[in-house]
Every structure is written in C-alpha cells, then in structure tokens.
Amino acid sequence: MPTSNDSIKVDRWQPQVCHESDAPSSAAEKLTMTLGKVPYTYGMPPKERTLLPGYDSGVLCFVIGIFLLLAYNSRHYSTFLKHFTSDLFSIRRREETFSVRTFSETGMQISIVLLASIGEGIIINAAIGMAITSILTTFTQIVLLSSLALLYYLWELAAYRTVGYVFTDRFTARQWIKGFNASQALLGVALIIPALFVLFNPDAAGIVVPMGILLYIISRLIFIYKGFRLFYDNFGSLLYFILYLCSLEIIPIVILYRLVLFSISLQP
C-alpha cells in the first residue's frame, strides 16, 4: 500500500494541465501579438456627409425660379414653335414681312436662354467637381458659372450683330441672329434633362459632361451651317467665313477653357 510520500513523488512527475487561454506564450508568439487596445476597436472617425447639389436650397430655388419664368411664358409656346424651325434652318427672304416678333415670343426666348445658361452652369460645375474640390459653396459656384454662360451669350449676340450689320445687309443679319437664338433655345431644351440628372447624381458626371459637350457642339454646328448658307457667295467668300470661325467660334471657347483651367490651378 503506497504511503503519502509515494503519492507526492508520483504527482511531482505528472504533466501540469491548464486551459488553452491560460497557457504561457513563447517568445516567437509574443512577437506576433498586439498588446493593449487593438486599433480597429476604436471604430472610424465620423465625417461630414457631402451635400448633393440637388439638395441645396439655394440651387433648388434658382432652378425653380427659372422653371416658373418658363411656365409663365409657355402659354405662347405655339407661336414660338411656329417660328422656331424656320429660324433654325430657313434662309428664305419671303419671311421678311413676318420678321417682327411679339413681346410674348421675346419673353419665351429669354426664358429658354436662361434655361440654357443654368444648364451649362450645372454641367460645368459637375465637370469642375470631377477635377477638384472647390472652396466655393455649390450655390455660389453654380450661380457664377450660369452668369458666366449668360454673359458669354450676350457677348456673342453683340458680336454677331456687329459683324452682321457691318458685312451684310440688314435682313441677312437678322436671319443670322434668329438662327443663333434658335440654336441657343435648342441647346437649352436639350441640356436641362442631363443637367437635372447630374444635379441629383454627381457620380454620373463622367457621362453627363461629355454628353453636354456633344450637345453644345451639335447646336453650334447647326448655327454655323445656317451662317454658311447665308454668307457663302463664291469660293473667295470662304476666306471670310474661315476668319469668322476662328475669331468668333474657336478663339473665345479656347480663351474660356484656359480661364477655367487657370481658375482650377488656383484652387488649393
């Protein structure tokens, strides 16, 4: 029969058993372990939610105001549409007796020009947003870009009137100006849907911006085509037409593009 001393001797040589979590770690294991608080347990720092341009109250008021002005003048849309196609393409001189436009048609034209300006401003704002984060608020930037588009339209209108009355007769000049206004109306109607779409979906700028550029080019080509039909007389007149393209259609766009790039480079 074993004594107490024998039982103690046996227990001394038996392996000590413990739980896995209580087992001592080797030096190699300690090198791969992180002591203290693990970084991911702190969570992610909160960030301010980016406000979509379409949810800016100032931008919405601006857009709604343009639509209200357009709705107020839309009761005369049938008269406007009656002259729209002929203004865009026709060069017939028999229309000289119907060249006088009423005040309602003028109001409709102003509404659509403003619509084109804000459409251009929204799409240019989306293009800038693809490149940088502007220091200006969304409302301020869209209003400034829309105002720039409107000023460019007024400058073009003054330049076309000057060139038309200097180098051609009065009727041809008026036909040319009507073609320009009709092309701007076409551009305004074509741009408003892409502009509203990118206003509420900024991630779609990569699709909407090239679409806006394409629509602008198409409207300009239609206007240039009518100008060519009005002013082409013989082969020698091509020189004057090329000079017109360079001075009024190409150089101003290049200057505006350079100004936009310069303003972007100034942004922090």
Side-chain angles (χ1 to χ4, degrees), residues 214-261:
L214 179 62
L215 291 173
Y216 180 83
I217 292 174
I218 291 174
S219 67
R220 303 304 295 186
L221 289 177
I222 292 175
F223 170 63
I224 291 172
Y225 173 68
K226 180 172 182 178
F228 179 80
R229 293 175 63 197
L230 284 171
F231 295 116
Y232 179 77
D233 186 25
N234 50 50
F235 186 78
S237 62
L238 285 177
L239 174 62
Y240 298 101
F241 191 78
I242 293 173
L243 291 176
Y244 144 72
L245 288 179
C246 294
S247 59
L248 293 183
E249 300 296 340
I250 299 177
I251 294 178
I253 294 296
V254 173
I255 293 175
L256 283 178
Y257 177 73
R258 292 291 184 180
L259 287 176
V260 171
L261 290 181

Short mmCIF file of all heavy atoms in Angstrom, two decimals, residues 214-261:
data_model
loop_
_atom_site.label_atom_id
_atom_site.label_comp_id
_atom_site.label_asym_id
_atom_site.label_seq_id
_atom_site.Cartn_x
_atom_site.Cartn_y
_atom_site.Cartn_z
N LEU A 214 -21.15 67.34 -76.30
CA LEU A 214 -21.64 66.90 -77.61
C LEU A 214 -22.87 67.70 -78.02
O LEU A 214 -22.97 68.14 -79.19
CB LEU A 214 -21.96 65.41 -77.56
CG LEU A 214 -22.52 64.80 -78.85
CD1 LEU A 214 -21.50 64.92 -79.98
CD2 LEU A 214 -22.91 63.34 -78.64
N LEU A 215 -23.79 67.93 -77.11
CA LEU A 215 -25.00 68.71 -77.43
C LEU A 215 -24.63 70.15 -77.78
O LEU A 215 -25.23 70.74 -78.69
CB LEU A 215 -25.96 68.68 -76.24
CG LEU A 215 -26.62 67.33 -75.94
CD1 LEU A 215 -27.42 67.40 -74.66
CD2 LEU A 215 -27.52 66.90 -77.10
N TYR A 216 -23.67 70.71 -77.08
CA TYR A 216 -23.22 72.07 -77.39
C TYR A 216 -22.62 72.13 -78.80
O TYR A 216 -22.91 73.06 -79.56
CB TYR A 216 -22.21 72.54 -76.35
CG TYR A 216 -21.69 73.94 -76.59
CD1 TYR A 216 -22.41 75.04 -76.15
CD2 TYR A 216 -20.49 74.15 -77.26
CE1 TYR A 216 -21.95 76.32 -76.38
CE2 TYR A 216 -20.02 75.43 -77.49
CZ TYR A 216 -20.75 76.51 -77.04
OH TYR A 216 -20.28 77.78 -77.27
N ILE A 217 -21.79 71.15 -79.13
CA ILE A 217 -21.16 71.13 -80.46
C ILE A 217 -22.22 70.99 -81.55
O ILE A 217 -22.15 71.66 -82.59
CB ILE A 217 -20.13 69.99 -80.53
CG1 ILE A 217 -18.94 70.30 -79.61
CG2 ILE A 217 -19.65 69.80 -81.96
CD1 ILE A 217 -17.94 69.16 -79.53
N ILE A 218 -23.23 70.15 -81.32
CA ILE A 218 -24.29 69.96 -82.32
C ILE A 218 -25.05 71.26 -82.55
O ILE A 218 -25.32 71.65 -83.70
CB ILE A 218 -25.24 68.84 -81.89
CG1 ILE A 218 -24.53 67.48 -81.95
CG2 ILE A 218 -26.49 68.80 -82.77
CD1 ILE A 218 -25.34 66.34 -81.40
N SER A 219 -25.40 71.95 -81.46
CA SER A 219 -26.13 73.22 -81.62
C SER A 219 -25.29 74.26 -82.35
O SER A 219 -25.81 75.02 -83.17
CB SER A 219 -26.56 73.75 -80.24
OG SER A 219 -25.43 74.13 -79.46
N ARG A 220 -23.99 74.29 -82.07
CA ARG A 220 -23.12 75.25 -82.77
C ARG A 220 -22.98 74.89 -84.25
O ARG A 220 -22.94 75.78 -85.11
CB ARG A 220 -21.74 75.29 -82.12
CG ARG A 220 -21.74 75.63 -80.67
CD ARG A 220 -22.43 76.92 -80.35
NE ARG A 220 -21.75 78.07 -80.91
CZ ARG A 220 -22.12 79.33 -80.68
NH1 ARG A 220 -23.17 79.57 -79.92
NH2 ARG A 220 -21.47 80.33 -81.21
N LEU A 221 -22.89 73.61 -84.55
CA LEU A 221 -22.77 73.20 -85.95
C LEU A 221 -24.01 73.56 -86.75
O LEU A 221 -23.91 73.96 -87.92
CB LEU A 221 -22.50 71.70 -86.04
CG LEU A 221 -21.10 71.24 -85.59
CD1 LEU A 221 -21.00 69.72 -85.67
CD2 LEU A 221 -20.02 71.89 -86.44
N ILE A 222 -25.18 73.44 -86.12
CA ILE A 222 -26.42 73.83 -86.80
C ILE A 222 -26.40 75.33 -87.10
O ILE A 222 -26.76 75.77 -88.21
CB ILE A 222 -27.64 73.46 -85.95
CG1 ILE A 222 -27.78 71.93 -85.87
CG2 ILE A 222 -28.92 74.06 -86.53
CD1 ILE A 222 -28.88 71.47 -84.94
N PHE A 223 -25.97 76.12 -86.13
CA PHE A 223 -25.89 77.56 -86.34
C PHE A 223 -24.85 77.92 -87.39
O PHE A 223 -25.08 78.79 -88.25
CB PHE A 223 -25.57 78.25 -85.01
CG PHE A 223 -25.23 79.70 -85.15
CD1 PHE A 223 -26.16 80.62 -85.62
CD2 PHE A 223 -23.97 80.16 -84.80
CE1 PHE A 223 -25.84 81.96 -85.75
CE2 PHE A 223 -23.64 81.50 -84.93
CZ PHE A 223 -24.58 82.40 -85.41
N ILE A 224 -23.69 77.27 -87.35
CA ILE A 224 -22.64 77.54 -88.33
C ILE A 224 -23.10 77.15 -89.73
O ILE A 224 -22.81 77.84 -90.73
CB ILE A 224 -21.35 76.79 -87.94
CG1 ILE A 224 -20.76 77.40 -86.66
CG2 ILE A 224 -20.32 76.83 -89.07
CD1 ILE A 224 -19.60 76.62 -86.09
N TYR A 225 -23.85 76.07 -89.82
CA TYR A 225 -24.37 75.63 -91.13
C TYR A 225 -25.31 76.68 -91.72
O TYR A 225 -25.24 76.99 -92.92
CB TYR A 225 -25.09 74.30 -90.97
CG TYR A 225 -25.80 73.83 -92.22
CD1 TYR A 225 -25.09 73.44 -93.35
CD2 TYR A 225 -27.19 73.80 -92.27
CE1 TYR A 225 -25.75 73.02 -94.50
CE2 TYR A 225 -27.85 73.37 -93.41
CZ TYR A 225 -27.12 72.98 -94.52
OH TYR A 225 -27.78 72.57 -95.66
N LYS A 226 -26.18 77.26 -90.88
CA LYS A 226 -27.07 78.29 -91.39
C LYS A 226 -26.27 79.52 -91.80
O LYS A 226 -26.55 80.15 -92.84
CB LYS A 226 -28.10 78.68 -90.34
CG LYS A 226 -29.05 79.77 -90.84
CD LYS A 226 -30.20 80.06 -89.92
CE LYS A 226 -31.10 81.12 -90.53
NZ LYS A 226 -32.29 81.40 -89.70
N GLY A 227 -25.26 79.88 -91.01
CA GLY A 227 -24.41 81.01 -91.38
C GLY A 227 -23.69 80.79 -92.69
O GLY A 227 -23.56 81.71 -93.51
N PHE A 228 -23.24 79.56 -92.92
CA PHE A 228 -22.58 79.26 -94.19
C PHE A 228 -23.54 79.43 -95.35
O PHE A 228 -23.18 79.99 -96.40
CB PHE A 228 -22.03 77.84 -94.15
CG PHE A 228 -21.34 77.42 -95.41
CD1 PHE A 228 -20.04 77.80 -95.67
CD2 PHE A 228 -22.01 76.64 -96.35
CE1 PHE A 228 -19.41 77.42 -96.84
CE2 PHE A 228 -21.38 76.25 -97.52
CZ PHE A 228 -20.08 76.65 -97.77
N ARG A 229 -24.77 78.97 -95.20
CA ARG A 229 -25.77 79.11 -96.26
C ARG A 229 -26.11 80.59 -96.51
O ARG A 229 -26.39 80.99 -97.65
CB ARG A 229 -27.03 78.35 -95.89
CG ARG A 229 -26.84 76.83 -95.85
CD ARG A 229 -28.10 76.16 -95.38
NE ARG A 229 -29.21 76.40 -96.30
CZ ARG A 229 -30.50 76.21 -96.00
NH1 ARG A 229 -30.82 75.80 -94.78
NH2 ARG A 229 -31.43 76.44 -96.88
N LEU A 230 -26.08 81.39 -95.46
CA LEU A 230 -26.41 82.80 -95.62
C LEU A 230 -25.29 83.59 -96.28
O LEU A 230 -25.55 84.47 -97.12
CB LEU A 230 -26.73 83.42 -94.25
CG LEU A 230 -28.10 83.09 -93.63
CD1 LEU A 230 -28.16 83.58 -92.20
CD2 LEU A 230 -29.23 83.72 -94.46
N PHE A 231 -24.05 83.28 -95.93
CA PHE A 231 -22.95 84.14 -96.34
C PHE A 231 -22.14 83.60 -97.51
O PHE A 231 -21.36 84.34 -98.11
CB PHE A 231 -22.00 84.37 -95.15
CG PHE A 231 -22.63 85.13 -94.02
CD1 PHE A 231 -22.80 84.53 -92.78
CD2 PHE A 231 -23.08 86.42 -94.19
CE1 PHE A 231 -23.39 85.22 -91.75
CE2 PHE A 231 -23.67 87.11 -93.16
CZ PHE A 231 -23.83 86.51 -91.92
N TYR A 232 -22.30 82.32 -97.84
CA TYR A 232 -21.49 81.79 -98.94
C TYR A 232 -22.00 82.35 -100.27
O TYR A 232 -23.16 82.22 -100.62
CB TYR A 232 -21.55 80.27 -98.96
CG TYR A 232 -20.74 79.68 -100.10
CD1 TYR A 232 -19.36 79.61 -100.02
CD2 TYR A 232 -21.38 79.20 -101.25
CE1 TYR A 232 -18.62 79.07 -101.06
CE2 TYR A 232 -20.64 78.67 -102.29
CZ TYR A 232 -19.25 78.60 -102.19
OH TYR A 232 -18.53 78.08 -103.22
N ASP A 233 -21.10 82.97 -100.99
CA ASP A 233 -21.44 83.57 -102.29
C ASP A 233 -20.60 82.95 -103.40
O ASP A 233 -21.12 82.58 -104.45
CB ASP A 233 -21.23 85.08 -102.23
CG ASP A 233 -21.71 85.78 -103.49
OD1 ASP A 233 -22.60 85.22 -104.17
OD2 ASP A 233 -21.20 86.87 -103.81
N ASN A 234 -19.31 82.87 -103.18
CA ASN A 234 -18.40 82.24 -104.13
C ASN A 234 -17.22 81.66 -103.35
O ASN A 234 -17.17 81.74 -102.12
CB ASN A 234 -17.94 83.25 -105.19
CG ASN A 234 -17.42 84.53 -104.57
OD1 ASN A 234 -16.59 84.49 -103.66
ND2 ASN A 234 -17.92 85.67 -105.03
N PHE A 235 -16.29 81.10 -104.09
CA PHE A 235 -15.15 80.46 -103.43
C PHE A 235 -14.33 81.45 -102.62
O PHE A 235 -13.77 81.11 -101.57
CB PHE A 235 -14.28 79.78 -104.49
CG PHE A 235 -13.15 78.97 -103.90
CD1 PHE A 235 -13.40 77.71 -103.37
CD2 PHE A 235 -11.86 79.47 -103.87
CE1 PHE A 235 -12.36 76.97 -102.82
CE2 PHE A 235 -10.82 78.73 -103.32
CZ PHE A 235 -11.08 77.47 -102.80
N GLY A 236 -14.26 82.68 -103.08
CA GLY A 236 -13.50 83.70 -102.36
C GLY A 236 -14.08 84.03 -101.00
O GLY A 236 -13.36 84.46 -100.09
N SER A 237 -15.40 83.84 -100.83
CA SER A 237 -16.03 84.15 -99.55
C SER A 237 -15.66 83.15 -98.46
O SER A 237 -15.92 83.40 -97.28
CB SER A 237 -17.55 84.20 -99.71
OG SER A 237 -18.06 82.93 -100.12
N LEU A 238 -15.07 82.01 -98.85
CA LEU A 238 -14.65 81.03 -97.85
C LEU A 238 -13.59 81.60 -96.91
O LEU A 238 -13.54 81.24 -95.73
CB LEU A 238 -14.11 79.77 -98.53
CG LEU A 238 -15.14 78.84 -99.17
CD1 LEU A 238 -14.43 77.68 -99.86
CD2 LEU A 238 -16.10 78.31 -98.11
N LEU A 239 -12.74 82.49 -97.43
CA LEU A 239 -11.71 83.09 -96.59
C LEU A 239 -12.34 83.87 -95.44
O LEU A 239 -11.92 83.74 -94.29
CB LEU A 239 -10.81 84.00 -97.43
CG LEU A 239 -9.77 84.80 -96.65
CD1 LEU A 239 -8.79 83.87 -95.94
CD2 LEU A 239 -9.02 85.75 -97.60
N TYR A 240 -13.36 84.67 -95.77
CA TYR A 240 -14.03 85.45 -94.72
C TYR A 240 -14.76 84.54 -93.74
O TYR A 240 -14.82 84.82 -92.54
CB TYR A 240 -15.00 86.44 -95.35
CG TYR A 240 -14.33 87.46 -96.25
CD1 TYR A 240 -14.35 87.31 -97.64
CD2 TYR A 240 -13.66 88.55 -95.71
CE1 TYR A 240 -13.74 88.23 -98.47
CE2 TYR A 240 -13.04 89.48 -96.53
CZ TYR A 240 -13.08 89.31 -97.91
OH TYR A 240 -12.47 90.21 -98.72
N PHE A 241 -15.31 83.45 -94.27
CA PHE A 241 -16.02 82.53 -93.39
C PHE A 241 -15.05 81.83 -92.43
O PHE A 241 -15.36 81.64 -91.26
CB PHE A 241 -16.77 81.49 -94.23
CG PHE A 241 -17.72 80.65 -93.43
CD1 PHE A 241 -18.96 81.16 -93.05
CD2 PHE A 241 -17.39 79.36 -93.06
CE1 PHE A 241 -19.85 80.39 -92.31
CE2 PHE A 241 -18.27 78.59 -92.32
CZ PHE A 241 -19.50 79.11 -91.94
N ILE A 242 -13.87 81.48 -92.90
CA ILE A 242 -12.86 80.86 -92.04
C ILE A 242 -12.39 81.86 -90.98
O ILE A 242 -12.19 81.49 -89.80
CB ILE A 242 -11.68 80.35 -92.88
CG1 ILE A 242 -12.13 79.18 -93.77
CG2 ILE A 242 -10.52 79.91 -91.99
CD1 ILE A 242 -11.10 78.71 -94.76
N LEU A 243 -12.22 83.12 -91.37
CA LEU A 243 -11.84 84.15 -90.40
C LEU A 243 -12.91 84.31 -89.33
O LEU A 243 -12.61 84.49 -88.14
CB LEU A 243 -11.60 85.48 -91.12
CG LEU A 243 -10.37 85.54 -92.03
CD1 LEU A 243 -10.31 86.88 -92.76
CD2 LEU A 243 -9.09 85.32 -91.22
N TYR A 244 -14.18 84.25 -89.75
CA TYR A 244 -15.27 84.32 -88.79
C TYR A 244 -15.23 83.14 -87.81
O TYR A 244 -15.40 83.31 -86.59
CB TYR A 244 -16.61 84.35 -89.53
CG TYR A 244 -17.71 83.60 -88.84
CD1 TYR A 244 -18.30 84.08 -87.67
CD2 TYR A 244 -18.17 82.37 -89.35
CE1 TYR A 244 -19.30 83.36 -87.03
CE2 TYR A 244 -19.16 81.65 -88.72
CZ TYR A 244 -19.72 82.15 -87.55
OH TYR A 244 -20.70 81.44 -86.93
N LEU A 245 -14.98 81.93 -88.33
CA LEU A 245 -14.92 80.75 -87.46
C LEU A 245 -13.81 80.88 -86.42
O LEU A 245 -14.00 80.55 -85.25
CB LEU A 245 -14.70 79.48 -88.30
CG LEU A 245 -15.86 79.00 -89.15
CD1 LEU A 245 -15.45 77.76 -89.94
CD2 LEU A 245 -17.07 78.67 -88.28
N CYS A 246 -12.67 81.37 -86.87
CA CYS A 246 -11.55 81.50 -85.93
C CYS A 246 -11.80 82.57 -84.88
O CYS A 246 -11.54 82.37 -83.69
CB CYS A 246 -10.26 81.81 -86.70
SG CYS A 246 -9.71 80.47 -87.78
N SER A 247 -12.32 83.72 -85.30
CA SER A 247 -12.45 84.86 -84.39
C SER A 247 -13.66 84.77 -83.46
O SER A 247 -13.60 85.25 -82.33
CB SER A 247 -12.53 86.16 -85.20
OG SER A 247 -13.64 86.12 -86.09
N LEU A 248 -14.75 84.16 -83.89
CA LEU A 248 -15.98 84.17 -83.09
C LEU A 248 -16.39 82.80 -82.58
O LEU A 248 -17.21 82.72 -81.65
CB LEU A 248 -17.14 84.77 -83.90
CG LEU A 248 -17.04 86.25 -84.24
CD1 LEU A 248 -18.29 86.72 -84.97
CD2 LEU A 248 -16.82 87.09 -82.99
N GLU A 249 -15.89 81.73 -83.16
CA GLU A 249 -16.33 80.40 -82.75
C GLU A 249 -15.25 79.59 -82.04
O GLU A 249 -15.57 78.77 -81.18
CB GLU A 249 -16.84 79.60 -83.97
CG GLU A 249 -18.00 80.24 -84.70
CD GLU A 249 -19.26 80.34 -83.85
OE1 GLU A 249 -19.37 79.60 -82.87
OE2 GLU A 249 -20.12 81.18 -84.17
N ILE A 250 -13.99 79.78 -82.41
CA ILE A 250 -12.93 78.94 -81.86
C ILE A 250 -12.15 79.67 -80.77
O ILE A 250 -12.01 79.16 -79.65
CB ILE A 250 -11.98 78.48 -82.99
CG1 ILE A 250 -12.75 77.64 -84.01
CG2 ILE A 250 -10.81 77.68 -82.41
CD1 ILE A 250 -11.93 77.20 -85.20
N ILE A 251 -11.66 80.86 -81.07
CA ILE A 251 -10.81 81.58 -80.11
C ILE A 251 -11.53 81.87 -78.79
O ILE A 251 -10.96 81.67 -77.71
CB ILE A 251 -10.25 82.86 -80.75
CG1 ILE A 251 -9.29 82.50 -81.89
CG2 ILE A 251 -9.54 83.72 -79.71
CD1 ILE A 251 -8.72 83.68 -82.61
N PRO A 252 -12.79 82.36 -78.79
CA PRO A 252 -13.46 82.61 -77.50
C PRO A 252 -13.60 81.36 -76.63
O PRO A 252 -13.42 81.42 -75.41
CB PRO A 252 -14.83 83.16 -77.92
CG PRO A 252 -14.62 83.74 -79.26
CD PRO A 252 -13.62 82.86 -79.91
N ILE A 253 -13.91 80.21 -77.26
CA ILE A 253 -14.02 78.96 -76.49
C ILE A 253 -12.67 78.57 -75.90
O ILE A 253 -12.58 78.12 -74.74
CB ILE A 253 -14.57 77.84 -77.39
CG1 ILE A 253 -16.01 78.14 -77.80
CG2 ILE A 253 -14.50 76.51 -76.68
CD1 ILE A 253 -16.99 78.17 -76.66
N VAL A 254 -11.60 78.74 -76.68
CA VAL A 254 -10.26 78.41 -76.18
C VAL A 254 -9.90 79.30 -75.00
O VAL A 254 -9.34 78.85 -73.99
CB VAL A 254 -9.23 78.54 -77.31
CG1 VAL A 254 -7.81 78.37 -76.76
CG2 VAL A 254 -9.49 77.50 -78.40
N ILE A 255 -10.24 80.59 -75.11
CA ILE A 255 -9.94 81.53 -74.01
C ILE A 255 -10.71 81.15 -72.75
O ILE A 255 -10.15 81.13 -71.63
CB ILE A 255 -10.26 82.96 -74.44
CG1 ILE A 255 -9.30 83.41 -75.54
CG2 ILE A 255 -10.18 83.91 -73.25
CD1 ILE A 255 -9.62 84.78 -76.11
N LEU A 256 -11.99 80.82 -72.90
CA LEU A 256 -12.79 80.41 -71.74
C LEU A 256 -12.23 79.13 -71.12
O LEU A 256 -12.17 78.99 -69.89
CB LEU A 256 -14.24 80.20 -72.16
CG LEU A 256 -15.08 81.47 -72.37
CD1 LEU A 256 -16.49 81.09 -72.83
CD2 LEU A 256 -15.16 82.29 -71.09
N TYR A 257 -11.83 78.20 -71.97
CA TYR A 257 -11.26 76.95 -71.47
C TYR A 257 -9.98 77.21 -70.68
O TYR A 257 -9.76 76.64 -69.60
CB TYR A 257 -10.99 76.01 -72.65
CG TYR A 257 -10.34 74.71 -72.27
CD1 TYR A 257 -11.06 73.72 -71.61
CD2 TYR A 257 -9.00 74.46 -72.57
CE1 TYR A 257 -10.48 72.52 -71.25
CE2 TYR A 257 -8.40 73.26 -72.22
CZ TYR A 257 -9.14 72.30 -71.57
OH TYR A 257 -8.54 71.12 -71.22
N ARG A 258 -9.14 78.11 -71.19
CA ARG A 258 -7.91 78.46 -70.49
C ARG A 258 -8.21 79.14 -69.16
O ARG A 258 -7.52 78.92 -68.15
CB ARG A 258 -7.05 79.37 -71.37
CG ARG A 258 -6.49 78.68 -72.61
CD ARG A 258 -5.44 77.67 -72.22
NE ARG A 258 -4.81 77.05 -73.39
CZ ARG A 258 -3.86 76.13 -73.34
NH1 ARG A 258 -3.44 75.70 -72.16
NH2 ARG A 258 -3.36 75.61 -74.44
N LEU A 259 -9.23 79.98 -69.14
CA LEU A 259 -9.60 80.65 -67.89
C LEU A 259 -10.08 79.66 -66.85
O LEU A 259 -9.75 79.79 -65.66
CB LEU A 259 -10.68 81.70 -68.17
CG LEU A 259 -10.24 82.97 -68.90
CD1 LEU A 259 -11.45 83.86 -69.20
CD2 LEU A 259 -9.21 83.73 -68.08
N VAL A 260 -10.85 78.67 -67.29
CA VAL A 260 -11.31 77.64 -66.35
C VAL A 260 -10.13 76.85 -65.80
O VAL A 260 -10.04 76.59 -64.59
CB VAL A 260 -12.33 76.71 -67.03
CG1 VAL A 260 -12.65 75.52 -66.14
CG2 VAL A 260 -13.61 77.47 -67.35
N LEU A 261 -9.20 76.46 -66.67
CA LEU A 261 -8.02 75.74 -66.21
C LEU A 261 -7.19 76.58 -65.24
O LEU A 261 -6.66 76.09 -64.25
CB LEU A 261 -7.15 75.31 -67.40
CG LEU A 261 -7.71 74.22 -68.30
CD1 LEU A 261 -6.71 73.90 -69.41
CD2 LEU A 261 -8.03 72.96 -67.52
#
